[in-house]
Amino acid sequence: MTNSLMKALFLKKPYKLELKNTNIPVLSQGEVLIKVNAVALCGTDIHAYHGKQGLFEYPRIIGHEISGEIVEMNAKQKKLRIGDRVAIIPYINCGHCISCNKEIYGACENLKVVGVHQAGGLAEFIKIPVDNLVKLPQNIDNLNGALVEPLAISTHAVRKANPKSDENILIVGMGPIGLGAAEIAKTFGANVILADLSEERRDFVSKRFDYKNILNPLAVDYRKQLAELTDGNMPDTIIDTTGSNKSMESCFKYLSYGGKVVYVGIYNGDLVIDDIEFHKRQTRLFGSRAAQKTDFEYVIGCIGKGLVKPEKFITDKLEFDQNIVKNINLVMDKGLSAFKTLIIFK
């Protein structure tokens, strides 16, 4: 490229963002240079901003929910070309550990995440391995393209449960991943029940989406409500996205016999479960991390068919300009009311 510098937003340390010029990445073999079109802020970015993301390495260009356009290639392949718009798969696996050999790439022993362990998307350009790109069709715009990644995380969790039509799924935690799981579960024909402690979150979802069964897990009749909604059988699957040990430990007593539990949110510590409740149900327990390329492709198909509408998640839009530090600081202070923030590049 004629210009060797780009603008990038660095998280220098907790609460300290800095917009500065830095070198445009130089491509190695197998890599592609992407002009960033849009980035969605994720819980990972927010936790890193507040100093509560244990895996994060400072300083770092943040952002891993990214859509962009290919502007340079150093890779031999036939599916993509310069000018294609793409969604980025931000998980860089080693390709040779036991998990990669099993094609379970999200469990790679040496997994690196864009925007956490290496430079992220809040920059004018980013380099990515060509295998970590999924082409966006014309009917998916740049903003929706940036939301493919969180929806792929949700899809991966739902696919772990592999629900059948008319199964009852309880999704605990109504943040973007939990709500995304609800939207994806509906494409499987599942009956979705949502639960969240936050009245603000419950109100947001009830106003923007068409879910009838939105519960407060602290309600004294919570178990009774679940029983009534499932003909007394309790949910066939519980997907817990909270990362709360209390929520994760309590799942089993609200589960149907022969049911499944999927942990998506991560708790940094030990979990203590009631083994009697776990065993007598012959519970199937899954951990869900990251997403596969097939999950990204499924999401793109759902958006293209109008089955999932990511734009309904968006509450805030910012431009990547000289005011970006001030504006992101303001969004970070909004708390739950900033459900999904998109940064738009010119």
Side-chain angles (χ1 to χ4, degrees):
M1 301 189 68
T2 55
N3 186 7
S4 62
L5 294 177
M6 66 177 183
K7 291 190 180 299
L9 186 68
F10 287 82
L11 182 58
K12 305 283 286 186
K13 59 182 181 179
Y15 304 101
K16 178 62 176 177
L17 292 164
E18 182 180 352
L19 181 66
K20 66 177 186 178
N21 288 326
T22 190
N23 291 325
I24 292 175
V26 176
L27 300 182
S28 300
Q29 181 61 41
E31 292 182 330
V32 173
L33 188 67
I34 303 296
K35 179 184 179 297
V36 176
N37 288 332
V39 176
L41 289 183
C42 169
T44 299
D45 305 315
I46 296 168
H47 292 148
Y49 177 86
H50 291 288
K52 297 179 180 179
Q53 172 46 261
L55 300 175
F56 193 83
E57 300 169 0
Y58 302 90
R60 180 68 64 216
I61 302 173
I62 59 174
H64 64 266
E65 300 178 359
I66 309 162
S67 69
E69 178 183 330
I70 298 173
V71 293
E72 187 178 326
M73 302 183 74
N74 188 14
K76 294 181 180 179
Q77 53 78 56
K78 297 180 180 180
K79 292 184 178 180
L80 296 169
R81 62 183 65 185
I82 290 174
D84 283 345
R85 292 184 312 113
V86 292
I88 289 175
I89 303 173
Y91 334 113
I92 313 299
N93 58 74
C94 70
H96 55 73
C97 71
I98 186 170
S99 180
C100 287
N101 288 336
K102 294 177 181 178
E103 298 185 352
I104 309 174
Y105 300 114
C108 171
E109 295 178 23
N110 307 295
L111 191 71
K112 301 292 185 183
V113 180
V114 168
V116 177
H117 306 103
Q118 61 189 62
L122 279 177
E124 293 176 304
F125 299 93
I126 184 173
K127 69 173 184 176
I128 293 290
V130 69
D131 290 338
N132 285 66
L133 301 174
V134 184
K135 186 176 179 179
L136 293 172
Q138 290 184 351
N139 64 346
I140 297 180
D141 65 20
N142 295 329
L143 299 190
N144 284 342
L147 292 173
V148 169
E149 192 275 343
L151 285 166
I153 296 280
S154 302
T155 298
H156 194 64
V158 173
R159 286 175 132 183
K160 288 278 186 181
N162 192 26
K164 296 180 174 60
S165 181
D166 287 330
E167 278 194 13
N168 296 305
I169 293 186
L170 169 63
I171 297 170
V172 187
M174 290 163 54
I177 300 301
L179 186 55
E183 292 290 278
I184 294 299
K186 288 198 301 183
T187 71
F188 282 73
N191 302 316
V192 175
I193 306 167
L194 289 165
D196 199 291
L197 296 177
S198 167
E199 183 178 359
E200 187 174 4
R201 280 273 167 88
R202 296 196 303 270
D203 287 345
F204 172 84
V205 173
S206 65
K207 290 174 181 176
R208 289 211 179 194
F209 296 83
D210 59 353
Y211 294 98
K212 296 179 180 178
N213 302 317
I214 301 176
L215 309 182
N216 179 356
L218 291 183
V220 293
D221 61 344
Y222 179 55
R223 182 182 178 83
K224 180 181 178 182
Q225 291 179 68
L226 289 173
E228 290 175 349
L229 291 170
T230 59
D231 295 325
N233 294 318
M234 306 303 283
D236 301 291
T237 293
I238 298 177
I239 298 177
D240 193 297
T241 69
T242 65
S244 161
N245 62 320
K246 291 183 179 179
S247 178
M248 295 164 76
E249 290 169 353
S250 68
C251 282
F252 308 101
K253 64 183 179 182
Y254 300 118
L255 184 68
S256 71
Y257 283 77
K260 294 164 280 189
V261 172
V262 183
Y263 287 157
V264 187
I266 299 172
Y267 174 67
N268 187 22
D270 295 332
L271 296 174
V272 179
I273 65 171
D274 185 332
D275 189 48
I276 295 296
E277 297 290 347
F278 179 85
H279 260 90
K280 71 183 183 181
R281 286 169 169 75
Q282 291 203 51
T283 306
R284 287 161 286 175
L285 176 62
F286 302 91
S288 183
R289 183 190 185 198
Q292 304 275 88
K293 180 175 277 191
T294 52
D295 299 316
F296 281 75
E297 292 167 344
Y298 185 82
V299 170
I300 287 171
C302 287
I303 298 172
K305 295 172 185 174
L307 299 175
V308 176
K309 297 180 179 179
E311 63 272 13
K312 295 170 73 173
F313 288 62
I314 301 170
T315 52
D316 298 82
K317 297 178 184 178
L318 308 176
E319 290 190 2
F320 189 79
D321 58 19
Q322 68 273 13
N323 297 314
I324 190 62
V325 171
K326 178 185 70 175
N327 290 333
I328 286 186
N329 285 335
L330 291 172
V331 165
M332 293 294 187
D333 290 337
K334 290 178 69 173
L336 295 180
S337 63
F339 191 80
K340 205 65 181 173
T341 299
L342 270 289
I343 293 95
I344 303 164
F345 290 70
K346 296 179 180 178

